[in-house]
Amino acid sequence: MISAKSVKELRERTGAGMMDCKKALTEANGDMEKAVEILREKGLAAAAKKAGRVAAEGIVKTYVSDDKKVAGIVELNCETDFVAANDEFIEFASKLAEMASKTDAKNVEELIAEKFNAEQTVQEALTALIAKLGENMTVRRFQKFAIENGVVQSYIHGGGRIGVVVELACDNANDKVAEAARELCMQVAAANPLFLNEDQVDQVAIEKEKEIYRAQALNEGKPEKIVEKMVEGRIKKYYKEVCLVDQAWVKDGDKSIAKYLEEVSKEVGSPVSVTRFVRFERGEGIEKKEENFAEEVARQVQGK
């Protein structure tokens, strides 16, 4: 009898799918090392050799339903921009983005355990793609959007380097509202806001900012009685930099995003507000390992 624990251990060691691991263990009569050899012989353990390699390249993909009510966004990473441009890799990411728009998964672990097609889970399909294209790949993150009264829109910049999804609430959602959502997507891509509005800003962080600004003002020799006014002024400037609705619209610097949405609201005859947004930038926060290209080629030739 093959235990679930043994299957799990083999899967973690090889990156092969659950069913493939179970079959290999059955064939090997429970011998773990023999099962690893069986999977390697079948080419199903190819991902294991690559699992430790840094995957900081890749692509961000989005999906929006025809009625603009649901959307998904996903970041799929690989090792090189060469593989990131591969049609099969791109198609895989596109399918994942559509899955993200429909899933009930709460995290990546749950998403990759879902069915990718009739025969494979996402993890199993990804393992097969790793074996075929020869690079480590990871599903790094995803988000799902869904709204009844409003629209969602997406924008991809730089061929998948940056992906954005914006959700607007409006009882009279029409093409004008969809256009506004698209404009805000480009705003988020360009200006990279950290928060939707002032209420979302961490107050602990704000107090730290105030302390820094207060110290700066005192170091500049400013009188204490005007320091607080200077601090408040700088905090307002900080909000305009990091909060989407407070930012200056990239298409008209004299107009804030809040003001732009007010104008759209009047035009459509119903309040329009941003409820959510997300911005994924490929590889952000991943520490890239510098590789010697000649050494990498040599390793590939030697099959390492």
Side-chain angles (χ1 to χ4, degrees):
M1 182 69 178
I2 304 302
S3 69
K5 183 179 179 181
S6 295
V7 174
K8 182 175 181 291
E9 180 183 344
L10 183 58
R11 185 183 185 188
E12 289 174 350
R13 287 184 58 179
T14 65
M18 283 288 193
M19 291 307 297
D20 291 318
C21 289
K22 186 175 181 180
K23 289 176 184 176
L25 281 165
T26 300
E27 187 178 337
N29 294 318
D31 186 318
M32 185 65 66
E33 298 306 321
K34 180 63 177 176
V36 171
E37 289 181 18
I38 290 170
L39 288 173
R40 290 188 65 185
E41 287 169 3
K42 293 180 179 179
L44 295 172
K49 292 183 180 180
K50 303 171 177 65
R53 297 188 345 204
V54 177
E57 294 295 333
I59 195 169
V60 178
K61 273 288 185 180
T62 61
Y63 168 85
V64 177
S65 62
D66 291 338
D67 62 3
K68 297 180 176 59
K69 297 297 183 183
V70 297
I73 181 171
V74 67
E75 179 182 357
L76 180 65
N77 295 124
C78 59
E79 295 177 53
T80 66
D81 53 5
F82 178 77
V83 165
N86 179 276
D87 289 341
E88 288 186 71
F89 182 85
I90 294 170
E91 184 180 346
F92 190 93
S94 297
K95 175 73 180 293
L96 276 183
E98 184 174 354
M99 285 184 65
S101 74
K102 302 171 183 177
T103 187
D104 291 323
K106 297 177 178 61
N107 52 50
V108 170
E109 288 72 23
E110 291 182 5
L111 179 66
I112 62 177
E114 291 186 357
K115 280 289 186 181
F116 186 76
N117 53 42
E119 294 82 26
Q120 298 170 304
T121 63
V122 173
Q123 182 60 63
E124 289 166 345
L126 183 62
T127 298
L129 190 61
I130 290 170
K132 184 174 183 179
L133 299 184
E135 286 194 5
N136 185 28
M137 300 173 196
T138 57
V139 181
R140 187 182 184 202
R141 50 185 171 170
F142 74 95
Q143 277 199 37
K144 173 185 178 179
F145 286 73
I147 190 168
E148 290 186 10
N149 298 321
V151 299
V152 286
Q153 276 282 31
S154 72
Y155 171 68
I156 293 291
H157 178 76
R161 184 173 68 85
I162 294 171
V164 175
V165 177
V166 168
E167 182 181 272
L168 293 188
C170 181
D171 291 333
N172 188 25
N174 55 22
D175 289 344
K176 183 65 181 178
V177 178
E179 179 187 331
R182 179 75 172 176
E183 291 289 351
L184 262 63
C185 282
M186 290 187 280
Q187 172 79 23
V188 171
N192 193 15
L194 303 179
F195 309 97
L196 174 56
N197 52 41
E198 295 177 16
D199 292 338
Q200 288 191 355
V201 181
D202 179 19
Q203 289 306 304
V204 174
I206 285 296
E207 289 306 315
K208 287 183 179 179
E209 288 293 323
K210 285 182 178 180
E211 289 177 14
I212 292 170
Y213 295 150
R214 193 174 289 112
Q216 288 175 346
L218 290 172
N219 289 338
E220 290 169 5
K222 306 295 183 185
E224 286 192 27
K225 61 182 180 181
I226 68 166
V227 165
E228 287 307 313
K229 288 184 178 180
M230 292 181 65
V231 169
E232 289 305 316
R234 290 183 180 182
I235 288 297
K236 286 182 180 179
K237 183 180 179 183
Y238 175 75
Y239 282 141
K240 288 180 180 179
E241 291 173 353
V242 301
C243 296
L244 174 60
V245 296
D246 293 329
Q247 285 183 336
W249 188 21
V250 292
K251 282 194 172 182
D252 184 350
D254 295 327
K255 189 181 299 182
S256 70
I257 291 300
K259 180 63 177 175
Y260 167 62
L261 289 177
E262 282 180 21
E263 294 177 356
V264 176
S265 299
K266 289 179 182 178
E267 192 169 340
V268 301
S270 181
V272 178
S273 61
V274 192
T275 47
R276 290 174 64 200
F277 76 89
V278 68
R279 180 186 190 273
F280 286 176
E281 183 166 350
R282 177 188 64 212
E284 62 184 341
I286 300 176
E287 186 176 347
K288 295 184 180 182
K289 181 181 177 182
E290 296 298 324
E291 292 280 5
N292 182 299
F293 183 69
E295 290 179 0
E296 176 66 14
V297 171
R299 285 198 297 270
Q300 293 284 350
V301 171
Q302 294 167 11
K304 294 182 179 180

